[in-house]
Amino acid sequence: MLKAMVVDDEAPARSELKYLLEELGQTEVVAEAASVREAIEKLKEYPCDVMFLDVNMPEATGLQLADALQHLKFPPAVVFVTAYSEHALDAFKVNAIDYLVKPVETERLAQAIARVREHVSLHAQAQKSERIPVDKGGKKILIGIDTVRFVMARDDYAYLRTDTDRYFSTVSLAQLEKRLDGHGFFRVHRGYLVNLSMVEEVESVSGGTLLLTLNGVDEKVPVSRRRVSALKKALGL
């Protein structure tokens, strides 16, 4: 099910759209916002697949927000929902998936959701299929980023651990951290990057630190004390 945010400065309009989305049953509205500023704040706490966005709002417009979202590595899809048809060309200049004119018809909304689902699916496939070069047995090979459990620093180099093997990289941990940005990796220690989607168990140890158990590997990964709070927030603990 798609996760959505509804952004409109008029509460009745937000309620109506939320009702229509719930009726269609393919989208969960995880947050609402009455302004661009509120939408940006809510997005930090409630990541979403799609933002249903009004154009005319106080302080900043929906077009300005959509343009700002394009600077994110993985921005939510944008569907404009507005009473004004004349902004459609500008909307598609900021990569909007669709443009709906109020009052919104259920059939037209369903078409927009279908477009969003296709967009999200294509981006998810592209992200999952991304690969990273590593060394093994004197050869350069490519492994899928989604297969990496954690990355461990070794001097100016690094090792990448999957569920089946350990691979050497001549790239530093700091460089790999930039390369893996947006793929769900988190710096838990100055010497470790962890794929958060692979974390299965979080164990508290003495000194206020943690040990992480990851899917498919026996090694446990340490979490430095100063990273504990941020990690718990990232994992929703």
Side-chain angles (χ1 to χ4, degrees):
M1 182 172 288
L2 295 172
K3 294 185 181 299
M5 183 186 302
V6 175
V7 185
D8 195 309
D9 60 320
E10 298 181 359
R14 295 198 305 273
S15 297
E16 175 65 16
L17 183 56
K18 185 177 178 181
Y19 172 79
L20 292 175
L21 289 169
E22 290 174 348
E23 282 288 293
L24 288 171
Q26 303 176 56
T27 310
E28 176 190 5
V29 177
V30 295
E32 299 178 38
S35 67
V36 168
R37 183 187 298 273
E38 186 180 1
I40 293 171
E41 289 301 315
K42 289 285 183 71
L43 188 60
K44 297 175 185 176
E45 189 175 356
Y46 302 100
C48 59
D49 300 304
V50 56
M51 192 176 284
F52 291 92
L53 184 58
D54 191 13
V55 173
N56 292 331
M57 290 185 289
E59 297 181 7
T61 69
L63 290 166
Q64 290 172 311
L65 174 56
D67 184 49
L69 291 175
Q70 300 310 303
H71 297 289
L72 298 176
K73 182 145 189 171
F74 298 107
V78 169
V79 174
F80 281 101
V81 183
T82 177
Y84 305 95
S85 60
E86 62 266 27
H87 299 294
L89 182 59
D90 290 330
F92 291 112
K93 286 181 181 178
V94 291
N95 296 322
I97 300 299
D98 211 335
Y99 190 95
L100 308 182
V101 178
K102 300 174 183 176
V104 178
E105 298 179 357
T106 303
E107 183 177 348
R108 185 67 184 84
L109 181 59
Q111 292 175 359
I113 292 172
R115 290 176 180 174
V116 171
R117 292 180 72 88
E118 182 179 7
H119 172 84
V120 170
S121 177
L122 288 173
H123 276 255
Q125 289 174 24
Q127 182 181 359
K128 188 173 183 179
S129 65
E130 284 195 51
R131 298 187 294 174
I132 192 166
V134 293
D135 292 89
K136 187 68 175 177
K139 298 179 180 179
K140 282 284 186 184
I141 63 174
L142 295 169
I143 61 172
I145 288 177
D146 59 303
T147 69
V148 178
R149 269 50 179 177
F150 66 85
V151 185
M152 178 175 60
R154 276 293 179 268
D155 299 320
D156 293 330
Y157 308 107
Y159 285 96
L160 293 86
R161 185 70 164 91
T162 69
D163 62 335
T164 58
D165 213 336
R166 184 192 296 265
Y167 300 92
F168 175 72
S169 174
T170 56
V171 178
S172 70
L173 188 68
Q175 291 173 303
L176 283 170
E177 184 173 16
K178 292 179 181 178
R179 175 71 177 81
L180 296 170
D181 182 39
H183 291 274
F185 283 79
F186 187 89
R187 178 74 79 105
V188 297
H189 186 283
R190 65 182 180 180
Y192 287 91
L193 283 172
V194 165
N195 186 342
L196 292 181
S197 68
M198 297 295 174
V199 176
E200 290 191 335
E201 184 179 314
V202 180
E203 177 186 352
S204 297
V205 294
S206 60
T209 61
L210 302 173
L211 285 177
L212 303 179
T213 300
L214 306 178
N215 173 270
V217 295
D218 294 329
E219 301 105 307
K220 293 192 176 184
V221 176
V223 181
S224 67
R225 187 165 52 186
R226 66 185 184 87
R227 300 298 292 159
V228 166
S229 179
L231 175 66
K232 286 185 175 179
K233 185 174 181 180
L235 291 172
L237 300 176

